[in-house]
Amino acid sequence: MADEIGVLTKAFSGFGVDEKSIISILGKWHPEEKKSFRKGCPNLFQEDHRDFEKWDQNYIATLEHEFARFKKAIVLWTMHAWERDARLVRDALSKGAHSYNVLIEIACTRSSEELLGARRAYHSLFDHSIEEDVAYHINNKNRKLLVALVSAYRYEGAKVNDAIAKSEAKILGEAIKNVDRNPIEDDEVVVILSTRSKAHLKIVFDHYKELYGNDIHEDLHDESSLKEAVLCLTSPQMYFAKVLDMALAIGANENTKEGLTRVIVTRADTDMKEIKEQYANLYGVQFLSKIEELTSGNFKDFLLALIQRSE
């Protein structure tokens, strides 16, 4: 009995749920065994003053999320990429400031055609443009940058004007070093980050390091939209590895946890191999091993299948 309670407790923990274990154990339990389970799991159940054990209400909500993870992953995977990104943007806007990173992620890690496709899909699905909804929902200092990023259609060729890149590195440096003003409010900074090609920005940031001695992201505040934009534009695999690590962290909130499904589903056929390599370099552990350890059931099996497509 104790072994079964341990298995069941584990089945209810982490990402997803171990459906097979739940069915095989609960399907044969009698009332007294179920009572022993409730008594033996104070993290799941609370003793009521009317002499019965009741589910922790917060944990019920958590379990509902976990049972739904597999379904959500399947739905996202089968969507056209344009619709998927459009719906992710809509969802991020509905959740508020703690989800703005999703807007930056989509705007800065997709190709110009992919972002344009997401904007077209958004028109069809919601009878609005992404740009107008971002402008409507966001009323703080991030507004100007985020509207510009989701509106972008970048040149994707290899040509770069080195002199212009160097001058723009100086513009960024002066804005970042200006203690009297947040660089995200600087129009020139917004223009550079939202219009220049990724190849051009790489040279800009190389010049920045030559001029100021640090990588540009080292000089930006940790939780800033600017820092996330720079990372997505120049080192997307590092950005995605960090999102995955935060999603798998103990105590991560639900919004952060959703990054696990989002990144795996959207990058499985793009750069998952490079993301796994970056994850191993950053955290000293194989990403597949973390998925094996921390996820369960059909959700786990589906994630592993998507991750292994890159092998």
Side-chain angles (χ1 to χ4, degrees):
M1 180 69 190
D3 289 343
E4 288 186 332
I5 289 176
V7 170
L8 200 56
T9 301
K10 184 178 180 181
F12 280 135
S13 304
F15 281 92
V17 289
D18 185 350
E19 295 91 347
K20 293 178 182 177
S21 294
I22 291 170
I23 292 168
S24 65
I25 294 172
L26 290 184
K28 67 181 183 181
W29 271 1
H30 298 295
E32 286 305 311
E33 290 169 314
K34 288 189 288 181
K35 182 175 182 179
S36 295
F37 171 57
R38 293 192 298 270
K39 290 281 192 183
C41 297
N43 58 319
L44 304 182
F45 297 91
Q46 299 171 346
E47 191 73 34
D48 190 86
H49 69 278
R50 294 180 178 86
D51 197 28
F52 72 99
E53 309 84 23
K54 63 183 180 182
W55 269 104
D56 182 302
Q57 188 62 40
N58 292 327
Y59 207 87
I60 290 178
T62 299
L63 274 180
E64 288 173 347
H65 279 300
E66 297 307 331
F67 275 109
R69 284 192 198 283
F70 175 59
K71 177 182 176 182
K72 184 171 184 179
I74 292 291
V75 171
L76 286 174
W77 177 248
T78 54
M79 279 183 186
H80 191 291
W82 295 357
E83 178 184 2
R84 183 171 61 220
D85 280 349
R87 291 190 182 278
L88 288 171
V89 167
R90 181 77 163 190
D91 186 52
L93 287 172
S94 71
K95 291 178 178 177
H98 59 280
S99 291
Y100 290 169
N101 65 299
V102 178
L103 306 179
I104 296 168
E105 177 182 311
I106 291 171
C108 298
T109 66
R110 298 338 186 223
S111 70
S112 295
E113 284 298 317
E114 288 168 343
L115 181 55
L116 180 61
R119 297 210 299 265
R120 287 172 172 163
Y122 199 96
H123 286 184
S124 297
L125 292 166
F126 307 117
D127 296 320
H128 288 261
S129 71
I130 288 180
E131 298 91 326
E132 68 180 298
D133 277 0
V134 170
Y136 176 78
H137 283 89
I138 300 172
N139 296 305
N140 58 24
K141 63 187 178 184
N142 295 286
R143 184 186 199 184
K144 190 182 297 183
L145 175 67
L146 293 181
V147 170
L149 290 175
V150 299
S151 306
Y153 189 87
R154 300 174 192 274
Y155 165 66
E156 294 188 331
K159 291 184 179 180
V160 175
N161 185 312
D162 190 71
I164 292 176
K166 189 168 186 177
S167 70
E168 290 180 342
K170 292 178 181 177
I171 292 171
L172 292 178
E174 290 169 2
I176 291 169
K177 306 296 182 183
N178 185 348
V179 296
D180 297 322
R181 189 181 187 190
N182 191 320
I184 203 171
E185 299 173 288
D186 188 298
D187 288 344
E188 286 299 310
V189 172
V190 171
V191 168
I192 292 168
L193 292 182
S194 63
T195 64
R196 292 303 190 187
S197 72
K198 294 175 185 179
H200 179 92
L201 288 172
K202 182 181 183 304
I203 303 303
V204 171
F205 299 151
D206 287 345
H207 281 304
Y208 182 97
K209 186 170 184 177
E210 292 171 3
L211 290 167
Y212 301 104
N214 291 328
D215 289 322
I216 187 169
H217 63 82
E218 294 177 313
D219 288 341
L220 295 168
H221 295 300
D222 280 343
E223 300 302 322
S224 73
S225 295
L226 272 181
K227 186 166 188 171
E228 289 181 332
V230 167
L231 199 57
C232 285
L233 287 164
T234 59
S235 304
Q237 289 79 31
M238 180 183 292
Y239 165 82
F240 286 123
K242 290 186 174 186
V243 171
L244 292 172
D245 182 64
M246 289 188 292
L248 292 169
I250 296 172
N253 61 42
E254 184 57 34
N255 186 65
T256 303
K257 285 183 177 181
E258 287 181 357
L260 179 67
T261 301
R262 185 182 74 250
V263 171
I264 292 175
V265 166
T266 59
R267 310 312 293 182
D269 286 337
T270 307
D271 53 359
M272 182 52 68
K273 182 178 180 181
E274 292 79 10
I275 292 169
K276 287 190 295 183
E277 291 171 354
Q278 187 67 247
Y279 188 94
N281 290 337
L282 287 172
Y283 305 111
V285 62
Q286 295 300 316
F287 182 54
L288 277 175
S289 300
K290 295 293 288 185
I291 296 298
E292 289 274 9
E293 175 189 352
L294 297 174
T295 62
S296 302
N298 292 330
F299 179 65
K300 170 184 175 178
D301 293 341
F302 186 56
L303 294 188
L304 289 174
L306 295 184
I307 295 166
Q308 289 167 340
R309 289 166 66 87
S310 64
E311 296 180 354

